[in-house]
Amino acid sequence: MNLRGIWCVIPAYNNAATAPGIAARARSILPNVLVVDDGSTDANLAECCAGLDVTVLRHSRNLGKGAAILTALNHLRQDPEVRYMITIDADGQHDPEDIPRFYPFLERNDFSLVIGCRDFSGPNIPDSSRFGRRFANFWMRIETGIKVGDCQSGFRAYPVRYIGQLHFLTRRYTFETEVLTRAAWANLELHDVPVHVHYPKKEERISHFHPWKDNFRLTCLHIHLIGIRMLPIPKRKLRPSPRFPYSIFRPRELFRALLNENASPEGLAASAGIASFLAVLPLPGCHILAILYTAERLHLNKIMALAIQNLYMPPLSPFLCIELGFRMRNGHWLTELTLQTCVKELHFRLFEWFLGSLVLAPFWGFAAGTAVYFITSFLQRRRNGADGKSQ
């Protein structure tokens, strides 16, 4: 394999204690290493890395990890022989010795984005990292339909030619989430490769991740990406779309695929919650279409979505919404069901249906999603326990 077409990129911010060592270890594996100093104030990384035979670029001020990666990308795009850049964190969390694990995927083509899936079985792994990874993976599945093992890992191989053609909104930690979603929309291949991870003890840990600020940015980004995904606007494709592997002429295979679509507890809960929310809204004659469209756009389990919406079929759900809306509008319950109140005042009932659904739709969506999550989690644990005993 021609290693000169692969660069190791190390975005660094105030990592003078670890970045030179990471760069030296990466340089012993790859002939080309690029360190991007994102406005560090603790030391001059160009001086720290002197004598290591690595390239150092510097931002005059801190612009964010995503900006550092894009600076490296724009620098490497000038050389047509560069195929991939492998990014690795400068804080010592990753082992540069794991870089060769990416090679089998990089040899196959020049359009794969390979993510180092961190081994979280070791010591000192923060609970916040475990939850964050699972949470990010869930939203990635919703936005793209692709299951990825570790959306938050910074140890990745980017296809330079293709990533350079995409446009990104974010420049900080959120970039690593956005790039995966947009790469998937562009039909690039996403792969996982297992890598080691090292977390120091809590009192020794140094992190530039700000829980409130960065999580707020991530939330805004996911809202933005889901909003784009919901719009029936074609996304830019850098490669041809893969053919759907199932046919209506093989109904058993098709039905099995639909059953297994996003069938994790989180995915099924999202399907149940969103379908319940839509089923309660005043959309006469359009509920199934709205649920199917949303399930398709957000890669939800269509079987679960269509099944649970039957719980809210008329007349019970509309009646409850109308009663609640009437109470909210008039201060008392609707007790007279006559030709006057049900037909001649139909325009009032429609408004009250809408008003009541503003309360009941979120309530039933949350209740259904929560119930499905706990039920499917229990059944999954029970099945895994039975499988373990049988082995």
Side-chain angles (χ1 to χ4, degrees):
M1 184 175 182
N2 180 16
L3 297 182
R4 295 203 170 273
I6 303 173
W7 280 63
C8 179
V9 172
I10 307 173
Y13 174 64
N14 288 347
N15 296 120
T18 53
I22 297 296
R25 290 162 64 189
R27 180 62 184 82
S28 68
I29 299 168
L30 288 174
N32 297 303
V33 175
L34 171 62
V35 178
V36 182
D37 182 353
D38 186 29
S40 296
T41 57
D42 59 342
N44 187 325
L45 283 184
E47 296 178 358
C48 295
C49 295
L52 297 181
D53 190 24
V54 301
T55 303
V56 179
L57 301 178
R58 176 175 170 79
H59 293 162
S60 59
R61 59 185 178 88
N62 179 249
L63 300 177
K65 187 177 184 182
I69 293 173
L70 289 174
T71 293
L73 178 67
N74 292 330
H75 178 79
L76 298 180
R77 287 179 65 193
Q78 300 174 19
D79 185 349
E81 293 185 3
V82 179
R83 297 172 63 245
Y84 280 96
M85 67 175 190
I86 298 178
T87 60
I88 186 169
D89 291 350
D91 59 2
Q93 181 184 130
H94 306 135
D95 283 344
E97 290 74 20
D98 281 336
I99 288 176
R101 296 189 176 200
F102 290 79
Y103 295 168
F105 294 97
L106 309 191
E107 287 181 310
R108 296 178 189 174
N109 54 60
D110 64 346
F111 50 78
S112 291
L113 198 163
V114 188
I115 306 154
C117 186
R118 295 167 293 176
D119 178 10
F120 273 4
S121 63
N124 305 320
I125 307 297
D127 291 337
S128 59
S129 294
R130 299 181 192 273
F131 172 80
R133 177 164 80 174
R134 189 169 183 177
F135 188 74
N137 291 348
F138 167 76
W139 285 111
M140 176 73 183
R141 186 76 177 268
I142 293 291
E143 291 158 4
T144 67
I146 297 175
K147 186 177 181 179
V148 174
D150 191 354
C151 289
Q152 293 190 322
S153 174
F155 200 175
R156 301 176 177 182
Y158 291 102
V160 171
R161 171 189 167 194
Y162 288 93
I163 297 298
Q165 298 180 57
L166 298 176
H167 300 284
F168 303 99
L169 177 68
T170 58
R171 293 295 184 270
R172 296 193 176 274
Y173 280 112
T174 44
F175 171 84
E176 292 182 315
T177 296
E178 183 183 9
V179 68
L180 293 183
T181 297
R182 295 195 183 276
W185 287 349
N187 287 337
L188 302 187
E189 291 185 1
L190 271 61
H191 299 284
D192 289 329
V193 60
V195 296
H196 297 96
V197 65
H198 302 283
Y199 276 96
K201 295 180 180 179
K202 184 176 181 179
E203 58 272 13
E204 301 173 0
R205 195 176 305 146
I206 299 175
S207 175
H208 301 300
F209 185 85
H210 302 283
W212 291 105
K213 184 188 299 184
D214 289 317
N215 280 321
F216 176 75
R217 288 171 175 159
L218 282 168
T219 300
C220 291
L221 175 63
H222 285 305
I223 293 173
H224 173 76
L225 294 175
I226 288 177
I228 293 176
R229 179 63 192 169
M230 286 297 296
L231 296 175
I233 300 174
K235 309 298 183 293
R236 185 185 182 190
K237 307 297 183 185
L238 299 181
R239 297 185 60 251
S241 299
R243 295 182 60 184
F244 186 67
Y246 305 102
S247 169
I248 59 173
F249 300 107
R250 298 196 299 274
R252 289 184 61 185
E253 294 181 9
L254 178 60
F255 185 71
R256 187 178 296 115
L258 291 174
L259 279 176
N260 294 324
E261 182 182 23
N262 204 353
S264 66
E266 296 89 350
L268 293 173
S271 300
I274 292 175
S276 296
F277 177 86
L278 293 173
V280 176
L281 294 179
L283 304 171
C286 301
H287 285 108
I288 292 180
L289 290 177
I291 290 170
L292 279 177
Y293 176 82
T294 304
E296 171 62 24
R297 299 304 295 178
L298 299 183
H299 308 283
L300 302 173
N301 188 289
K302 301 175 185 64
I303 302 296
M304 169 62 76
L306 290 176
I308 205 162
Q309 65 96 25
N310 289 299
L311 297 176
Y312 309 96
M313 293 181 66
L316 181 58
S317 178
F319 174 76
L320 293 176
C321 290
I322 290 171
E323 280 289 348
L324 180 58
F326 187 91
R327 177 62 185 263
M328 295 168 65
R329 180 168 172 262
N330 299 287
H332 59 88
W333 300 106
L334 175 64
T335 56
E336 296 183 12
L337 299 177
T338 64
L339 183 66
Q340 174 70 24
T341 60
C342 294
V343 178
K344 294 183 178 180
E345 297 179 2
L346 181 62
H347 55 292
F348 290 125
R349 304 295 86 83
L350 291 176
F351 174 72
E352 289 155 3
W353 184 2
F354 169 74
L355 196 62
S357 71
L358 295 180
V359 176
L360 291 181
F363 171 78
W364 286 119
F366 177 79
T370 302
V372 168
Y373 175 78
F374 283 110
I375 291 171
T376 53
S377 295
F378 170 76
L379 294 175
Q380 186 181 71
R381 289 194 300 269
R382 188 173 179 178
R383 183 183 61 185
N384 293 339
D387 292 341
K389 290 180 180 180
S390 64
Q391 293 176 0

